[in-house]
Amino acid sequence: MKQIVKRRHQRTIKYRGETYAVDGAIAGRDAYQISNSQVDPFEISGQEYRDHVHDGLVKEEGFDKRPRNVTAKDAREAQLRLRIVENALKLGEEGVHWAKRIPILQREFAEEPTFKIKGNRFPRQSTVQNWVKLYRRGGPDALLPKHSNSGNRMPRFDSVFHEIVLDLLEMQYTSSDRQNLTSLSSDAYNQYQLVCHENGIKPGCCGRKAVEAIVHTIPHFDVLKWQLGSNEARQHMRIAQKYYDITAPYDQIELDCTKADIMLVDDSGEVIGRPWICAAIDCATSWIVAFQVFLPDPSSEHVAKALKEMISYPEEDFFEQHEIVNRKKIAALPKVVVMDQGSENVGEPIDAFIEVAGVHGHWAQPRKPQEKPFIENLFGAVRSKVSQLPGATKSKAYPDRDRTKKAMDEARLTLRVFNSIMQRWRYDEYGRTPRRKVQDIFKRGETPSAAWDRLADEHIVPEPPSLDEHHAALMIQSESRTLWHYGIEFESMQYNSEDLARLYRRLGPRQRVEIRYAPLDAREILVVDPHTGELVRASNKAKDLAALSYRELRECRSPKAKHNGPIKTALEIHKDIQARRTYKQGKKTKLQRNRSAEIDKLRAADMQNRSLKEPQLIDQIRSEVGHNKLAVTRSKNLPRVERKDAGPNN
């Protein structure tokens, strides 16, 4: 008999044109059971189910965008309100006056179980009208009951008691580890009663719960540091982090940037320097979940692009472009993302992603590579692969400073070719290479692909974000624009679609609407329907536009080139940016101009000499990168992973 792991909320899935109920995950293998009233229950693979989640075909009780903490009772109430509002709007389109709508609605909902209960009457006309206003302003989410806002919102304690507890914590609790909460509560109570008696103040709440509420607002690491000292407290925190075991995929992701040890050239053969790599790896499976190659120095935009790749499925065009054989699609929302304290790992795109996606961000201590061992091990494998390519600046025979000139002579890979080589290596070589047991938290020596398949059978694999969650995590900026017959004009570009045209016909001309956009991708924006709150997609009219940020477009585009996307490659855009930065540094002197001209002549002659050589690899020696035992860093204070063999959840 199959054991089904039930979920908290009932879900429905649109599978092959039909709607089915999701019964839950099947214990022991990566599969889900779905059913409806017309056919018997049957199974679909876990990967197929996650694909439907990513495409927005899996919904929760008719409310796609409702928060996760909404109770089932509130969801039913909101669903009932939505039905009443939709029926009221239909009657309004037919020309029925409000005075006649309410009796019609009462007859339509007479058999509703909610209104059959004694004391539950059908809402009044003003209430229904208020629901309609909320629906038009905020969509279905605005109809959710506000029961969570009820209750006493006043502080549990007054300012006098708060100051007394903080003084006791600073004088006694932070300097000794022998104090406990009971003694602290007793001392605080006695002092508070004495102060109130001396000043004629009526005592308020001063019990143990009030003390606990104050203690919970204090950073516990600071308290531990006061008691034990900085070095001892850091060791205790590091040991405490190991209590959380990484047991399932996407429990912890490590992300970092590094400079590749290889010289690249442009399409004309001119050396353009070394590229950067921003990568992210899953600690449980060692699968590379993000791999970005670029030329400029890393910034928060490049890290945000890696985060976007981490939660997005690769398209088939991506596999075809790079000729990848091992076409494994993996994407989900991680629990923890570990990064270093570099300047590229902070900024508005990253902060918005962590806040909206509900991801816990952990920034490792400076100069502590042992806190992110998996990404450091990955970069070691990357260096080993890059050292075998033409133009590598490092090898076993040549040190870095002696190899640079030779690397510039041998350089013949462009950024596009190098990216394709590394993407194929990522999927077809690294994804199929067994890991060393000392670098595997499960000590099995599996390949990343095999580890993912095994853990998918043992655990409920985290789902990728739905379309709404994906847009909420990436479309973090919003502005107001006018809707015209040709679409939306934004950043000197035009956006339009068939859905946007239908919205224009319904709203009429020159209506102000809210738009949402991703700062890192100018190909698409979202337009908020002012009546329903739904998000309408609109694509950029510029054809074959690359996934460039608005900042890159502003830097490389002529101010007069309105309504036209840049007809340039990423390499050309990078060269334009570098040229503008050089120009802003000021004009050169005559001596500097002569020196630059001479350097250009020598560089052109050197390029001509290299073009006459046969393309061959000279003195290329395979480098051998040593493997060291790596400590495994753990995250803390996270819920336990739901295992499939734990039985059904009630």
Side-chain angles (χ1 to χ4, degrees):
M1 183 178 178
K2 290 183 296 186
Q3 187 177 8
I4 306 298
V5 180
K6 293 287 186 181
R7 291 205 172 262
R8 183 175 300 178
H9 300 294
Q10 180 63 40
R11 291 184 169 186
T12 59
I13 181 174
K14 196 77 171 181
Y15 184 73
R16 295 181 180 178
E18 299 292 336
T19 302
Y20 298 89
V22 180
D23 297 333
I26 299 177
R29 59 181 181 274
D30 188 20
Y32 284 76
Q33 178 175 299
I34 62 177
S35 62
N36 63 11
S37 58
Q38 299 178 356
V39 298
D40 295 332
F42 62 96
E43 301 177 13
I44 59 174
S45 66
Q47 184 62 49
E48 194 173 8
Y49 175 76
R50 290 186 289 273
D51 290 343
H52 282 68
V53 174
H54 182 267
D55 296 337
L57 300 177
V58 177
K59 301 181 180 180
E60 294 189 14
E61 295 184 348
F63 262 69
D64 304 350
K65 301 179 291 182
R66 65 187 180 89
R68 298 279 183 178
N69 58 350
V70 174
T71 63
K73 181 179 179 180
D74 289 347
R76 289 193 297 269
E77 175 67 20
Q79 189 67 29
L80 177 61
R81 294 181 182 181
L82 179 61
R83 291 168 51 197
I84 294 175
V85 168
E86 290 177 345
N87 289 6
L89 290 176
K90 290 180 181 178
L91 292 174
E93 293 175 358
E94 296 174 1
V96 181
H97 193 267
W98 271 109
K100 298 182 179 180
R101 290 189 211 178
I102 299 302
I104 297 176
L105 293 174
Q106 288 178 347
R107 291 192 296 269
E108 292 180 354
F109 290 89
E111 300 299 325
E112 185 67 32
T114 303
F115 303 128
K116 286 186 175 182
I117 302 176
K118 185 178 180 180
N120 290 349
R121 297 181 179 179
F122 191 82
R124 293 180 298 179
Q125 176 179 329
S126 59
T127 302
V128 178
Q129 290 176 338
N130 186 36
W131 289 350
V132 172
K133 291 181 181 179
L134 293 175
Y135 177 73
R136 285 177 172 174
R137 292 176 182 176
D141 283 349
L143 299 177
L144 287 169
K146 303 295 190 297
H147 296 158
S148 58
N149 297 334
S150 61
N152 185 10
R153 297 295 176 180
M154 299 298 294
R156 184 183 290 272
F157 44 82
D158 56 23
S159 59
V160 177
F161 185 73
H162 188 208
E163 292 296 329
I164 291 175
V165 174
L166 291 180
D167 291 340
L168 290 174
L169 284 171
E170 190 169 350
M171 290 186 300
Q172 302 177 10
Y173 186 77
T174 58
S175 60
S176 174
D177 57 357
R178 296 178 179 271
Q179 297 289 339
N180 55 32
L181 193 61
T182 302
S183 60
L184 176 65
S185 302
S186 177
D187 294 342
Y189 176 82
N190 295 331
Q191 290 194 21
Y192 180 65
Q193 293 291 339
L194 180 61
V195 170
C196 291
H197 178 72
E198 293 176 350
N199 296 276
I201 302 174
K202 183 179 179 180
C205 182
C206 55
R208 182 186 177 95
K209 289 186 177 180
V211 176
E212 289 179 352
I214 298 174
V215 171
H216 289 163
T217 62
I218 299 175
H220 293 111
F221 178 70
D222 293 341
V223 176
L224 188 65
K225 186 165 58 176
W226 288 337
Q227 290 182 350
L228 306 177
S230 299
N231 295 332
E232 188 70 17
R234 188 175 294 110
Q235 296 297 327
H236 278 67
M237 292 294 291
R238 188 172 299 171
I239 294 174
Q241 289 178 355
K242 295 183 179 180
Y243 284 104
Y244 178 74
D245 293 329
I246 300 174
T247 57
Y250 275 77
D251 275 354
Q252 180 171 308
I253 301 294
E254 293 181 359
L255 186 147
D256 202 358
C257 298
T258 186
K259 205 167 189 178
D261 301 324
I262 187 172
M263 290 290 182
L264 301 182
V265 298
D266 57 13
D267 294 334
S268 62
E270 183 74 16
V271 176
I272 57 177
R274 295 163 55 189
W276 283 89
I277 295 176
C278 182
I281 188 171
D282 175 38
C283 298
T285 62
S286 291
W287 182 265
I288 304 175
V289 296
F291 199 90
Q292 297 284 328
V293 181
F294 49 90
L295 285 174
D297 293 338
S299 64
S300 59
E301 293 185 357
H302 299 106
V303 176
K305 287 182 179 180
L307 295 174
K308 176 184 177 182
E309 182 183 357
M310 181 196 314
I311 64 174
S312 306
Y313 276 143
E315 300 178 355
E316 286 297 329
D317 294 341
F318 171 82
F319 294 123
E320 292 291 342
Q321 177 185 356
H322 302 300
E323 300 178 354
I324 296 173
V325 178
N326 185 26
R327 303 186 176 187
K328 204 173 189 66
K329 293 185 177 182
I330 293 176
L333 281 174
K335 293 182 178 179
V336 180
V337 178
V338 181
M339 299 171 284
D340 60 18
Q341 308 238 357
S343 59
E344 69 274 7
N345 294 324
V346 294
E348 183 181 4
I350 300 175
D351 295 341
F353 175 87
I354 291 176
E355 180 180 358
V356 176
V359 178
H360 175 68
H362 174 70
W363 283 264
Q365 300 181 42
R367 297 181 296 277
K368 298 290 184 181
Q370 64 270 19
E371 291 197 4
K372 41 186 180 62
F374 297 97
I375 194 67
E376 297 296 338
N377 175 47
L378 170 61
F379 286 156
V382 169
R383 287 190 291 269
S384 178
K385 173 63 178 179
V386 171
S387 65
Q388 306 169 21
L389 301 176
T393 59
K394 285 187 178 181
S395 69
K396 189 175 182 179
Y398 294 91
D400 191 8
R401 60 182 181 181
D402 296 333
R403 182 74 177 137
T404 303
K405 183 62 172 63
K406 197 172 186 63
M408 295 178 66
D409 292 338
E410 297 174 355
R412 56 181 54 88
L413 297 180
T414 62
L415 180 66
R416 177 180 55 81
V417 175
F418 175 71
N419 183 39
S420 294
I421 292 175
M422 298 309 298
Q423 295 294 350
R424 282 196 301 271
W425 169 84
R426 164 191 175 185
Y427 282 89
D428 295 340
E429 295 184 32
Y430 187 85
R432 295 177 173 179
T433 302
R435 297 170 293 173
R436 293 178 178 270
K437 290 186 177 181
V438 294
Q439 297 170 341
D440 182 4
I441 61 175
F442 301 109
K443 301 298 182 291
R444 291 174 175 263
E446 299 173 306
T447 65
S449 296
W452 177 272
D453 295 337
R454 180 179 62 83
L455 293 176
D457 292 336
E458 296 180 1
H459 301 276
I460 298 179
V461 177
E463 300 169 358
S466 62
L467 287 178
D468 294 335
E469 293 172 338
H470 196 276
H471 289 149
L474 300 176
M475 302 284 185
I476 59 176
Q477 300 285 354
S478 63
E479 290 193 18
S480 178
R481 286 292 185 272
T482 302
L483 180 59
W484 303 91
H485 65 279
Y486 54 80
I488 296 287
E489 184 176 342
F490 179 65
E491 288 288 345
S492 299
M493 292 177 288
Q494 292 181 2
Y495 296 83
N496 203 352
S497 65
E498 295 182 359
D499 294 336
L500 188 62
R502 284 193 289 269
L503 179 64
Y504 171 80
R505 289 191 293 268
R506 180 157 57 89
L507 298 180
R510 299 185 181 182
Q511 294 291 329
R512 299 291 290 184
V513 293
E514 178 187 358
I515 67 169
R516 299 178 185 176
Y517 64 96
L520 305 178
D521 193 349
R523 295 177 297 180
E524 184 183 59
I525 64 172
L526 298 177
V527 181
V528 181
D529 189 334
H531 291 171
T532 64
E534 296 181 355
L535 300 177
V536 180
R537 296 183 185 179
S539 302
N540 198 312
K541 287 186 177 182
K543 297 182 179 179
D544 301 329
L545 181 65
L548 300 175
S549 66
Y550 288 98
R551 181 185 62 82
E552 292 172 332
L553 291 175
R554 285 192 295 267
E555 289 184 346
C556 69
R557 188 179 55 209
S558 172
K560 296 181 180 180
K562 288 191 174 184
H563 313 314
N564 293 318
I567 311 176
K568 297 181 180 180
T569 63
L571 183 59
E572 292 172 339
I573 292 173
H574 171 67
K575 294 178 69 174
D576 288 346
I577 295 173
Q578 295 297 332
R580 289 192 176 210
R581 290 176 180 174
T582 304
Y583 178 77
K584 290 179 181 179
Q585 293 176 358
K587 296 182 179 180
K588 297 181 179 179
T589 63
K590 183 177 179 181
L591 177 62
Q592 291 173 333
R593 290 196 298 270
N594 293 339
R595 178 181 175 85
S596 299
E598 184 64 23
I599 291 175
D600 291 339
K601 291 180 182 179
L602 295 175
R603 188 174 297 171
D606 183 39
M607 184 177 64
Q608 184 178 4
N609 293 334
R610 287 191 290 110
S611 64
L612 299 177
K613 296 180 181 180
E614 293 293 334
Q616 57 183 0
L617 300 183
I618 304 174
D619 298 333
Q620 283 288 323
I621 300 177
R622 182 186 295 268
S623 65
E624 297 179 0
V625 180
H627 298 273
N628 300 324
K629 293 184 177 181
L630 300 175
V632 179
T633 182
R634 309 293 188 190
S635 300
K636 61 174 185 176
N637 297 333
L638 290 174
R640 296 184 63 85
V641 178
E642 181 183 6
R643 293 185 59 90
K644 289 187 176 181
D645 54 3
N649 295 334
N650 296 323

